Amino acid sequence: MSILSDLIKRYTQGKSSSVTSDTAERILSSILYAVDANLRRFADPLRAVDYLTTADIRKIYGEGVDLLRQCLDETKRLYTVVKQNKLDVAVEAYHTTIDESLPAFLNQYGILFDAHNTMASIDYPLAVDDIQMEGVFYIREYVEHLKMETDFCRLFSQRDLEALLVHFGQVCRFDYRIELFNIFELVLNNAVFSILSGGDARKINISPGQFEVLTRRFTLASAAQIQTLLHEAADELPSRLNISNSRLNDYMHQCTRHLAQRVVNAAHHHRLETVIIKEMEKRQKPHVISLNRGDQMTDSSFRLLVDRITACEKTEEKVDLIQKNVHSLADYVDVLRAGCFFGNEFQTLFGSLSHIELAILAKRVFYEDLRDQSCHFSSLVFQEKMPDSEWEQHYVAFLQNLSLDQLTAIEACIHDIDIEDISFD
């Protein structure tokens, strides 16, 4: 308890010897984390217990704090390597984790008062992640795994990696740039599938012909045979890709074990296309649309436009201002959220849009539902559940007043829109 008393005085900078029960509990947890860090050195649990019962507790704690500092320094060095070698991919969670979340932890981590705390909002999921760990030990393992995953993905061409991500988004019917998924797992799986289909391990884009080969092999095989096929292909990967890192090899095999059960289930339900990401046909780009990713207004220009729209007495004048000044989806949605339109004014505004523009808004409003290919657009429009935001409710009400032919035309436009060509930010 003397360690706790000393740390409480340091915490209050000598001004008090008492703190709230929550703060005291947090500092005590930090102490125990440091002690546990020291005892981890012993491979034999009995030796750890003997050391804990015979050595001075202050010595044990002090050594634990030193080990935590060493671990933090090591993690910072690993992070620097990850930062320098990060992938050039348009996956938001991957970049925010490396550029923002990890630096926030490394800069704010408190060994004395918050050693046990994992103070980081990490969104990017790893292929293998031990969420039972805490503090700097968890972050170190996270960075180690992230480095291995990144090193593996850099073995493949940038063009193939980008194409795989696009195909993945098309198969899943979502914007891969803003979704949470693991890039390494996607690349590893397709490298394994490439080997099994007679292709080059470095070519991770599966052709329709390769997909047919894999479908025949997996459909005719038993669960045990599928597992054997995948494990044998995984065994070939290190030599095919010139990988000598034993930890990476073990990591790859661990992930392949997870893949085996997914393939067995997909083959049983005739849904292998959800696991094997194959090349998709290049669709003809839809006609030119006025709501696109570029041409976003500056903050000052946007505020000025909102003031001008609000000052208009006639709805037609508001619509005219938007048509002349708003050319990006992000700005358009921001205007809808800005409280510039009321009641029936929304109907007039939506009535000024083309089918393709209404389809783009539908991608925004029904984003999750449209990922289900079996779901018809008209059924989404007339479902009982309404969106939360006011403008989306008015948008759905507008669609409900359209004819079936108009809804069909909008639905056709929805299928023509490439999700990568628009932005919901």
Side-chain angles (χ1 to χ4, degrees), residues 144-417:
E144 287 174 345
H145 288 189
L146 185 59
K147 180 182 181 300
M148 285 193 293
E149 293 186 4
T150 299
D151 290 344
F152 178 81
C153 291
R154 289 180 69 85
L155 296 173
F156 304 87
S157 77
Q158 179 70 24
R159 178 179 296 181
D160 286 351
L161 183 56
E162 290 175 352
L164 177 60
L165 292 173
V166 170
H167 298 150
F168 177 61
Q170 291 172 340
V171 168
C172 298
R173 296 177 67 84
F174 61 38
D175 186 349
Y176 75 87
R177 298 166 301 183
I178 61 174
E179 294 290 339
L180 299 180
F181 66 96
N182 182 259
I183 302 170
F184 163 82
E185 195 171 32
L186 198 63
V187 174
L188 172 66
N189 292 353
N190 264 32
V192 169
F193 293 139
S194 186
I195 290 176
L196 287 174
S197 60
D200 185 340
R202 293 185 183 273
K203 301 297 182 182
I204 52 177
N205 288 296
I206 305 298
S207 69
Q210 287 177 291
F211 180 79
E212 291 303 320
V213 171
L214 292 166
T215 299
R216 287 195 297 271
R217 295 194 72 175
F218 290 142
T219 302
L220 297 174
S222 65
Q225 289 171 328
I226 289 175
Q227 291 178 351
T228 299
L229 286 171
L230 291 171
H231 291 325
E232 288 177 350
D235 288 338
E236 286 187 44
L237 267 182
S239 59
R240 295 270 197 114
L241 299 175
N242 297 320
I243 297 174
S244 57
N245 186 329
S246 60
R247 288 197 64 194
L248 176 55
N249 289 341
D250 292 341
Y251 196 78
M252 290 161 53
H253 274 89
Q254 192 172 352
C255 295
T256 307
R257 287 195 292 271
H258 298 158
L259 173 63
Q261 190 56 53
R262 291 181 59 203
V263 173
V264 168
N265 292 336
H268 178 72
H269 293 95
H270 305 287
R271 294 297 304 275
L272 283 169
E273 69 278 2
T274 63
V275 180
I276 306 170
I277 307 303
K278 66 177 180 178
E279 293 178 334
M280 307 291 285
E281 287 186 24
K282 291 186 177 180
R283 295 175 297 178
Q284 186 175 0
K285 291 289 184 181
H287 36 292
V288 177
I289 56 179
S290 60
L291 296 180
N292 51 55
R293 292 182 62 189
D295 305 322
Q296 195 163 349
M297 303 172 69
T298 63
D299 290 342
S300 58
S301 297
F302 179 80
R303 286 194 297 269
L304 179 61
L305 176 64
V306 169
D307 291 341
R308 291 176 63 192
I309 294 173
T310 305
C312 290
E313 295 183 359
K314 296 182 178 180
T315 306
E316 291 75 11
E317 293 176 352
K318 293 184 177 183
V319 173
D320 185 60
L321 279 174
I322 290 179
Q323 290 178 333
K324 290 179 178 178
N325 295 279
V326 178
H327 305 291
S328 79
L329 178 60
D331 286 337
Y332 198 92
V333 171
D334 284 342
V335 169
L336 292 173
R337 292 169 171 165
C340 304
F341 286 80
F342 307 93
N344 290 332
E345 291 182 334
F346 281 103
Q347 306 302 307
T348 303
L349 175 61
F350 295 136
S352 70
L353 298 178
S354 66
H355 287 156
I356 191 69
E357 290 164 337
L358 289 170
I360 292 172
L361 290 181
K363 285 276 193 179
R364 170 67 172 76
V365 175
F366 302 112
Y367 177 72
E368 290 294 336
D369 296 305
L370 287 171
R371 289 168 57 179
D372 183 358
Q373 300 186 36
S374 64
C375 190
H376 294 290
F377 178 59
S378 58
S379 65
L380 297 178
V381 171
F382 291 100
Q383 64 183 345
E384 292 185 9
K385 182 182 178 182
M386 290 291 285
D388 294 329
S389 70
E390 182 184 8
W391 80 262
E392 291 180 343
Q393 292 172 6
H394 283 287
Y395 171 75
V396 172
F398 171 81
L399 294 178
Q400 290 175 343
N401 289 321
L402 297 180
S403 67
L404 182 59
D405 288 342
Q406 288 175 304
L407 291 178
T408 302
I410 295 172
E411 184 172 18
C413 293
I414 289 174
H415 295 313
D416 282 341
I417 295 172

